[in-house]
Amino acid sequence: DTGVSQDPRHKITKRGQNVTFRCDPISEHNRLYWYRQTLGQGPEFLTYFQNEAQLEKSRLLSDRFSAERPKGSFSTLEIQRTEQGDSAMYLCASSRPAGEQYFGPGTRLTVT
Amino acid sequence: GENVEQHPSTLSVQEGDSAVIKCTYSDSASNYFPWYKQELGKRPQLIIDIRSNVGEKKDQRIAVTLNKTAKHFSLHITETQPEDSAVYFCAARPQTSYDKVIFGPGTSLSVIP
């Protein structure tokens, strides 16, 4: 499968714990995006990478959220001290410059 | 920043009828407008897109129109089929956005056989 992949697909965690998600983009795509989607809403932009550089970060992203793309390939999104309001689907997408964004299947996070 | 609104939030049509979803955007500098379809439990998938230098684009039963003056764009699906049932999202890309897109809240389309 040469599409965007995400791991894990589901994560249940207790409030206060840290979680980390991984995204593997399509190999020739240098642009990678993280979005958050809650029930009944469209994806909300969180952050964006061009190769290994994080070029933009939404004001929605509190200091508890951090993302990396160390070698310009896969990316990780870490949430520290999770809160119930962090429960959502976390979507990753990748693209060529000015190209269509291809989405991964998402990681569904439930904070209990 | 860019803000995208979308109407209606839910839409039911009989199989074979047409469906129209309308979106407005706030940033006049936005230059790219994709539409995504998301089936239940699946990832969003691009179904059609339009750039700001084009007024209309068609792909089989799907068409999109863009009115830059009114900052308004619409998705038209003709001869709807049950497999068209899904949530549809419009989006806009601000010119200075590094390719990020801002999504509307979505329209849940149900096609009744």
Side-chain angles (χ1 to χ4, degrees):
Chain A
D1 184 358
T2 57
V4 179
S5 61
Q6 292 186 246
D7 184 71
R9 297 289 304 277
H10 303 274
K11 178 70 177 179
I12 300 174
T13 191
K14 292 186 178 179
R15 188 176 56 187
Q17 297 294 306
N18 299 344
V19 294
T20 300
F21 310 141
R22 176 179 170 125
C23 170
D24 286 90
I26 293 172
S27 59
E28 59 266 30
H29 288 180
N30 69 337
R31 304 197 173 188
L32 187 147
Y33 315 80
W34 285 98
Y35 293 88
R36 178 172 63 192
Q37 187 176 28
T38 53
L39 197 63
Q41 298 296 319
E44 292 179 293
F45 170 79
L46 294 179
T47 191
Y48 158 80
F49 290 86
Q50 180 171 304
N51 299 313
E52 66 276 8
Q54 187 174 19
L55 295 185
E56 190 170 352
K57 191 173 174 180
S58 168
R59 284 171 290 179
L60 295 173
L61 225 58
S62 75
D63 292 343
R64 297 184 297 106
F65 288 72
S66 63
E68 294 183 338
R69 194 182 182 197
K71 296 182 180 179
S73 55
F74 73 91
S75 175
T76 58
L77 178 69
E78 180 183 17
I79 310 174
Q80 297 182 328
R81 304 181 303 281
T82 52
E83 302 173 356
Q84 287 188 321
D86 297 331
S87 295
M89 176 72 83
Y90 290 83
L91 291 164
C92 175
S94 70
S95 76
R96 292 188 176 94
E100 171 188 350
Q101 291 188 22
Y102 291 82
F103 281 85
T107 294
R108 181 168 295 285
L109 172 66
T110 302
V111 182
T112 61
Chain B
E2 176 65 278
N3 182 52
V4 178
E5 296 185 350
Q6 184 170 350
H7 301 280
S9 57
T10 59
L11 179 60
S12 290
V13 299
Q14 292 289 330
E15 182 177 357
D17 288 350
S18 295
V20 180
I21 301 170
K22 298 182 178 182
C23 289
T24 58
Y25 61 99
S26 61
D27 185 349
S28 58
S30 289
N31 59 5
Y32 173 67
F33 306 91
W35 285 87
Y36 284 82
K37 175 183 180 182
Q38 187 174 30
E39 297 177 30
L40 190 63
K42 296 192 175 180
R43 70 190 77 188
Q45 290 194 302
L46 182 76
I47 55 171
I48 195 167
D49 56 13
I50 191 167
R51 298 185 186 272
S52 58
N53 58 347
V54 175
E56 184 173 357
K57 183 176 178 181
K58 189 173 181 180
D59 182 4
Q60 299 183 343
R61 298 186 296 109
I62 295 173
V64 59
T65 58
L66 171 64
N67 182 328
K68 285 193 298 181
T69 303
K71 291 187 285 187
H72 172 277
F73 58 117
S74 300
L75 178 72
H76 304 253
I77 306 174
T78 59
E79 301 171 19
T80 53
Q81 301 167 3
E83 52 265 37
D84 294 329
S85 296
V87 179
Y88 291 81
F89 295 100
C90 61
R93 185 175 72 198
Q95 192 172 28
T96 57
S97 74
Y98 295 115
D99 288 353
K100 82 179 183 194
V101 291
I102 304 300
F103 285 84
T107 295
S108 178
L109 172 65
S110 298
V111 180
I112 304 164

